[in-house]
Structures are given as C-alpha cells and as structure tokens.
Amino acid sequence: MRAVMTALLALSVSASSALAAPKDDVTHFTLENGMEVVVIEDHRAPVVTHMVWYRAGSADEFPGTSGVAHFLEHLLFKGTENMEPGELSATVARNGGTDNAFTSFDYTAYFQRVAADRLELMMRMESDRMVNLRLDEEDILTEREVIIEERNQRVENSPAALFREQKRAAQYLNHRYGVPIIGWRHEMVSLDLDAALEYYERFYAPNNAILVVAGDVEPDEVSTLAKKYYGALPANPDLNERSRPQEPPQTAERRVIFRDARVAQPYVSRSYLAPERDSGDQREAAALTLLAELLGGGTTSYLAQQLQFEREKAVYAGSWYSGDRLDDTSFTVVVVPKDGVSLEEAEVLMDETLAGYIERGVDSAALDRVKMQLHASQIYARDDVGELARLYGGALAIGLTVEDVQAWHDVLQSVTEEEIIAAARSVFDKDRAVTGYLMSEEGDAS
C-alpha cells in the first residue's frame, strides 16, 4: 500500500507542469478619456472591491521632493470641493466598508471594500478626489508631521530598515528606485503645498489611471457607472510617456557596511540587479521567481538545507525576487550566521553554496514541488476579490496586460530546469551586485 501511495504522490507531483491555470472572468475596456477599466466577476458574495491605480509612484517624483508621492496619498483623504476632510472614509465606514491606500515605486492605489450595492457611491467619491482635491497650508503642516513620524517608526527605529535603505541607494546610482518610497528625511521636512499640487496635477488624471472593480458586479453595470463618473473627467493632454533616468552599466562590485549599536543579529545580504517582468516576455522573470523559491523559499530550500542543517553555519538563509517592477529589479540573498561565524565567513559560504547550486543543477523533484506550491497559492488567491483586484491593477500599472496576468501561471509551470540555471548564471554576477554587512558598532566583519 505504501508503495502505491508513493507512486501516486510522485505521479501527482510530476504532473505539476500540466496543472490547469486558474480562470478569471475578466472584462477589460478603455473609456474615451483614456482611463482603463478592468471588471473581475465573482458572484459568491454580495461584496465588491473598488480600486483606482495611478501609474505614478515614488520613482516618478521630481528630484528634491522625495516622499511626495506617499505624502499626496495621505493628503487625498483630506477634503475636496464637494467633500469635507475625512468624509470619504467616514462614509465608507458608515456603509459597513473599509478603505485605504498605498504607494509603491511604480504606482499609487486607493481602494474600498463595500457591499456591492454601494459601488456607485464609491465611484462618485473616488472620481471626485481625482480632480477636485482641496488643500491648504494647515493640511500640509499636520500631514507632513504624520509622514515624518511614520518614517521614524518604520525606518529610523529599525537598523535593518536603515541598512536596506543604504544598500538600495548603492544599488541604484541613477534610477529613482534608489530613493526610499517614504522619502529621505531631509527632503520630507521641506515638502510643501506646491510640491504636492504639482505632483497631483501632473499625474492624477483619468488617462493615467486604471479602475479595477472585482466582486459581485456585471460588466455592463460597471461600464455605465464608470462612464458616468470617470468618463466625464477630462484627460490630461500634457501627460507624457513614462520615462525615468536609467542605470548606467554596473561594472564594479559594490559593498556597504552598516554599523548600529542596536543590532543584535548581524547578517550578510547581497542583491543583484535583475530583469523585471516584461509584457509578452515573462519567461526569465518566471525562471527567477522559481529560482528564488528553490534557493531560499523556506526550510526545504537549497540555501537552508546547506547552511542551516548540513553545515550548521547559519540560523537563517533565504532569497527572494520580485519581478513586478516597471524597470530593472533585484534578486536578493541573505545569510544570518550562527554565533561564532563571522560575516566574512558567511559570505564565503554563501558564494560557495550559490556556485554549487549552479554546478549541480536544479533538483527535478524540488522544482515540481515548488511549481505545485505556486499553483496552489494562485488558486487560493482567487478566494479574495481584493487580491484579484490587486493582481490585475498592479500588473497593468507596470505595463503588463490582462493577457500577461492570465498567461503567468502557464509560463511558470512551463519553465525548465535549464532556463532556471541560465537565469542564475546571468544574474549572479558580483560586478552587478551590492554586498552588505549589517553589524553592531563593535562588530567585526572578519
């Protein structure tokens, strides 16, 4: 019986490449003013997620105004010509819903989750603050203090966050990805009304936005409401094609040593410049996604098995990659050494392990297991209409298409062992990487 069960399990795992892609009921169209609309039907519960994504994030800020994208996100919860300060969120709460917003390098998004019959109300309010924001100097002063305190809590109070910030700045010498999303503190303290309005007037327009509605809705209903509220807004005729300063070729290894007396657990981290996920050409990004899971995606990963369990030199070893960027992203490897193991030794072990992985090649059983896990996670994500809305909105905001999103599952499942090793060879180049040591002030790298 055990042999039969083992054979069945092996058969199910080896068949992972043939797993069916999850199916989403998606309608996609564009309003006359250039605003994209995505409708994702899910009629299992009478709720809806309403999201507006702007193709503008911190990497689109003017030099000298770092943090203004996130600052403006906060300011959009102030008043408009038709709503009092705080009225939007209060109205959502009064109707039993929730709302929030977030800023990334490449986009800013605002969302509400409410009963499906409240969708029109959400569109009326969200379309209003797209063009009718009303701010004064008091709003600027009070909200600027809020974001500075947010930086204090999230960054200044965390040596690891400060380290990552410095390491990213060393990674991107010319591209705005090297500037923190929340902003550099010395620039945040001088953000003013003019900077906020300049960013708002430049980027907040229907032809720079994507509306995503997911849940218990019909496409025709959404189309009618979208045309009524968003379609009536004028496009920004001065909106230019997205363009950022790009990185020059990196031809020299870069290193960062960050010391802070508060560091209790030192570690070594290296991030390599890596290609992002591109529309119509997602295979290398898929290979890197699988590589990150195989190398450092948990206790069964190669790095963990080698460094934590076999050699017993680390308390943690992992890797991650996010291809969801408009421009070149990074692939990161981290090793947290055990007591008595120096950061220099940990780095040597990391290099040996990465080289050994490329030499040995991908374990086919491990690859099948990771593909099965990714398949399962993609299926489970469909249980939350909010996650579906984020999936499509985030993709379109970085230049992908609905077709790219729907093809992603099959691309991941079809990536070969050879493609994964080829991606590793291409990316793992120290001359295109930043190696960082986080240690206490008394720490010694060697």
Side-chain angles (χ1 to χ4, degrees):
M1 176 63 71
R2 180 176 297 177
V4 172
M5 293 301 294
T6 301
L8 288 173
L9 178 61
L11 180 62
S12 67
V13 172
S14 64
S16 64
S17 60
L19 292 170
K23 299 297 183 183
D24 302 322
D25 194 353
V26 179
T27 303
H28 178 222
F29 55 92
T30 303
L31 302 180
E32 290 185 3
N33 59 9
M35 186 173 187
E36 283 191 79
V37 182
V38 177
V39 183
I40 309 164
E41 294 181 68
D42 186 330
H43 300 288
R44 290 176 294 179
V47 296
V48 64
T49 294
H50 170 266
M51 300 191 79
V52 171
W53 299 72
Y54 293 96
R55 294 184 181 89
S58 65
D60 300 291
E61 296 165 342
F62 293 109
T65 63
S66 66
V68 73
H70 174 247
F71 186 34
L72 182 61
E73 175 212 311
H74 280 242
L75 292 170
L76 246 72
F77 290 87
K78 301 296 183 180
T80 71
E81 294 177 7
N82 303 300
M83 289 188 291
E84 293 299 316
E87 182 179 341
L88 187 149
S89 292
T91 302
V92 172
R94 190 166 57 249
N95 282 272
T98 58
D99 74 316
N100 214 326
F102 51 88
T103 305
S104 181
F105 288 113
D106 297 314
Y107 49 72
T108 309
Y110 302 82
F111 66 92
Q112 302 88 33
R113 181 180 174 89
V114 293
D117 62 359
R118 303 297 195 275
L119 177 60
E120 182 171 6
L121 177 60
M122 299 303 107
M123 285 203 191
R124 178 176 62 78
M125 294 190 297
E126 194 66 75
S127 62
D128 180 44
R129 68 174 172 177
M130 181 181 286
V131 295
N132 293 321
L133 184 63
R134 186 182 63 204
L135 299 173
D136 58 31
E137 289 294 343
E138 184 177 347
D139 293 327
I140 296 297
L141 294 175
T142 56
E143 208 60 40
R144 191 168 64 196
E145 289 303 313
V146 170
I147 62 168
I148 290 172
E149 181 56 27
E150 186 176 338
R151 179 181 168 88
N152 288 340
Q153 293 178 2
R154 295 186 179 183
V155 183
E156 305 294 347
N157 288 337
S158 169
L162 289 167
F163 168 61
R164 290 192 298 269
E165 192 175 74
Q166 292 295 312
K167 190 161 150 290
R168 178 174 283 276
Q171 183 97 67
Y172 296 97
L173 300 183
N174 198 48
H175 196 285
R176 296 286 295 182
Y177 286 168
V179 178
I181 294 170
I182 200 166
W184 296 117
R185 185 186 181 91
H186 71 282
E187 293 182 345
M188 294 170 67
V189 297
S190 61
L191 288 174
D192 56 19
L193 181 60
D194 288 342
L197 290 178
E198 186 175 23
Y199 190 94
Y200 177 72
E201 291 166 1
R202 181 184 185 191
F203 292 119
Y204 279 56
N207 52 323
N208 198 40
I210 304 152
L211 169 64
V212 182
V213 180
D216 189 19
V217 291
E218 299 291 341
D220 288 346
E221 172 198 7
V222 175
S223 176
T224 298
L225 293 174
K227 289 175 182 176
K228 178 179 179 180
Y229 291 101
Y230 294 106
L233 305 179
N236 178 2
D238 299 322
L239 185 68
N240 297 319
E241 185 176 348
R242 249 175 145 174
S243 177
R244 282 100 165 254
Q246 297 298 303
E247 282 296 293
Q250 183 179 338
T251 57
E253 182 178 356
R254 299 171 190 168
R255 304 185 74 82
V256 171
I257 297 178
F258 189 91
R259 293 182 173 89
D260 192 305
R262 297 171 293 177
V263 173
Q265 179 64 72
Y267 64 83
V268 58
S269 171
R270 182 181 299 136
S271 56
Y272 301 86
L273 280 177
E276 76 281 7
R277 188 175 157 197
D278 291 323
S279 181
D281 183 17
Q282 303 184 88
R283 293 198 71 82
E284 188 170 14
L288 290 170
T289 299
L290 292 165
L291 176 65
E293 290 297 317
L294 290 162
L295 269 179
T299 56
T300 61
S301 68
Y302 187 78
L303 281 167
Q305 288 295 312
Q306 290 291 310
L307 299 181
Q308 291 178 240
F309 303 113
E310 291 191 20
R311 301 192 190 185
E312 297 185 344
K313 294 290 188 179
V315 296
Y316 172 80
S319 62
W320 55 89
Y321 161 81
S322 174
D324 294 336
R325 293 280 187 270
L326 183 64
D327 299 311
D328 277 354
T329 183
S330 60
F331 189 109
T332 301
V333 182
V334 170
V335 175
V336 182
K338 295 182 71 171
D339 288 344
V341 178
S342 70
L343 293 182
E344 186 178 58
E345 183 182 355
E347 182 184 355
V348 171
L349 289 167
M350 179 175 71
D351 286 335
E352 290 176 354
T353 307
L354 295 178
Y357 187 80
I358 291 175
E359 182 66 27
R360 292 175 60 173
V362 176
D363 179 86
S364 58
L367 178 58
D368 284 339
R369 182 175 64 251
V370 166
K371 285 184 175 180
M372 182 73 78
Q373 290 168 347
L374 289 174
H375 169 75
S377 68
Q378 290 170 321
I379 295 295
Y380 294 145
R382 269 68 189 175
D383 288 337
D384 185 340
V385 293
E387 286 301 310
L388 276 176
R390 286 176 181 247
L391 181 68
Y392 282 89
L396 268 64
I398 59 170
L400 299 175
T401 65
V402 168
E403 291 73 25
D404 292 324
V405 176
Q406 295 179 336
W408 180 239
H409 173 278
D410 289 344
V411 173
L412 281 170
Q413 294 297 325
S414 66
V415 168
T416 65
E417 298 166 17
E418 292 75 18
E419 286 177 295
I420 293 171
I421 295 301
R425 291 185 187 277
S426 175
V427 168
F428 292 161
D429 178 356
K430 281 189 178 182
D431 285 344
R432 302 185 72 246
V434 179
T435 303
Y437 287 3
L438 175 67
M439 63 178 69
S440 67
E441 289 181 343
E442 298 77 22
D444 184 353
S446 59

